[in-house]
Amino acid sequence: PYRQEIMVPIDTSLQTAKFQPIDMRVTFSNSCWGTNETIHSIRVGIDDGTGIQEIESQVYDLEHSDDTHIKTCSLVFLIPEGVNGKEKYYVLYDSEETSPANYPKHVTVEDTHYFYEPIPGQKIDFDYYGIRQDGFVIYTVIQKGQLLGNPIAFAVIKFKPNSTTVETYNLDQVGNFDFRYGVNAVPEYFGSSWATDITKTVLVDGNLMIRLRVGGISPRGDIQSDNIYTYYYSPTIAKRILVDAHHEILKTIDIDDPTTLDGCYGGITSIKSRSASIEKMNVGEILPSVYIYDEENTIQEFS
């Protein structure tokens, strides 16, 4: 019986808007029935002039007025493919109990471990959250561990398209979201990627969006990282993960060798390994360039 129009924050007439996720806060003008993230009366509809059609959606971060009614919540849905910018979006709901929506769960997360030691002393050994979409591995969010002698806490590994298992030969690229600085040692850096006492939480586990939190302090007690990782379902070839990285310097750090590394809070690591005898070591590709969108709203190229 109730509907409220949703004003989406992007121009949906643009081709780039198709399948983009919308994640916004909604406050209900009337009484909205619901008990949790899956049992509720909330639906999202789109009207292109021919009537309202229901589209898949997800709710989270509910604020209740009582045990069975919701005052406000966060709402997730995707912009459909065949829109032209003239359509309207609505949130529809009921004050009385309704049957829950039965949308397919496109994204899932698992909390598990990977170990492989191709050569004695050279280990790939880490705890991770594995993010899958419709059965395929898209990303792993590394909680703690090592990658061939390099600490790898807080990192994200992107996998090749259509990968079904977390294996070395499916690895594409690695994004580093720890805070590190140069030292005279091997490897030539230290920071929160070395953390072993990790806190981890699945903040949201929905049908269209996964949100994870990983935190920890470096063994020297000088850096604390506390990151939030968000992945939205994407039916296109392009896959993206949003990382909200928080780093706190807990005490003064004297950098041993500033020419090596002077306070790095993010990076992209390319890996290439080839072996005629060890199949799993045929992994990765080193791309010729990396492109970074900077604070001046320009794109910088790095060889």
Side-chain angles (χ1 to χ4, degrees), residues 225-237:
S225 292
D226 187 5
N227 297 353
I228 294 176
Y229 306 80
T230 303
Y231 178 75
Y232 295 95
Y233 168 60
S234 175
T236 67
I237 294 174

Side-chain angles (χ1 to χ4, degrees), residues 175-219:
N176 305 307
F177 301 98
D178 57 281
F179 192 98
R180 61 181 67 178
Y181 57 89
V183 295
N184 293 319
V186 177
E188 298 179 329
Y189 63 90
F190 189 83
S192 57
S193 62
W194 295 78
T196 57
D197 187 12
I198 294 292
T199 60
K200 58 184 181 179
T201 309
V202 177
L203 298 175
V204 182
D205 182 3
N207 55 299
L208 296 176
M209 184 266 278
I210 299 288
R211 181 166 290 159
L212 313 166
R213 184 173 183 176
V214 181
I217 300 176
S218 63

Side-chain angles (χ1 to χ4, degrees), residues 85-217:
K86 297 179 181 179
E87 74 285 355
K88 293 184 177 181
Y89 299 85
Y90 297 95
V91 57
L92 303 101
Y93 57 99
D94 200 324
S95 60
E96 302 295 332
E97 182 175 351
T98 63
S99 299
N102 188 27
Y103 302 133
K105 187 166 174 50
H106 293 289
V107 293
T108 58
V109 59
E110 59 180 348
D111 184 355
T112 186
H113 182 82
Y114 182 85
F115 179 85
Y116 177 54
E117 189 173 10
I119 302 170
Q122 290 293 309
K123 298 179 182 178
I124 304 175
D125 183 11
F126 52 74
D127 296 336
Y128 70 92
Y129 283 123
I131 298 174
R132 290 177 178 265
Q133 175 177 303
D134 294 333
F136 295 107
V137 180
I138 308 299
Y139 291 102
T140 59
V141 175
I142 309 301
Q143 301 160 7
K144 62 179 179 180
Q146 62 170 299
L147 178 64
L148 301 177
N150 295 279
I152 195 174
F154 303 105
V156 175
I157 299 177
K158 180 183 179 183
F159 284 78
K160 296 176 182 177
N162 301 320
S163 295
T164 57
T165 58
V166 175
E167 282 294 351
T168 54
Y169 46 76
N170 288 328
L171 182 153
D172 188 359
Q173 300 293 314
V174 180
N176 305 307
F177 301 98
D178 57 281
F179 192 98
R180 61 181 67 178
Y181 57 89
V183 295
N184 293 319
V186 177
E188 298 179 329
Y189 63 90
F190 189 83
S192 57
S193 62
W194 295 78
T196 57
D197 187 12
I198 294 292
T199 60
K200 58 184 181 179
T201 309
V202 177
L203 298 175
V204 182
D205 182 3
N207 55 299
L208 296 176
M209 184 266 278
I210 299 288
R211 181 166 290 159
L212 313 166
R213 184 173 183 176
V214 181
I217 300 176

Side-chain angles (χ1 to χ4, degrees), residues 59-73:
V59 300
Y60 69 98
D61 195 14
L62 278 57
E63 183 181 347
H64 286 270
S65 56
D66 58 41
D67 291 343
T68 58
H69 291 88
I70 303 166
K71 291 195 300 185
T72 182
C73 70

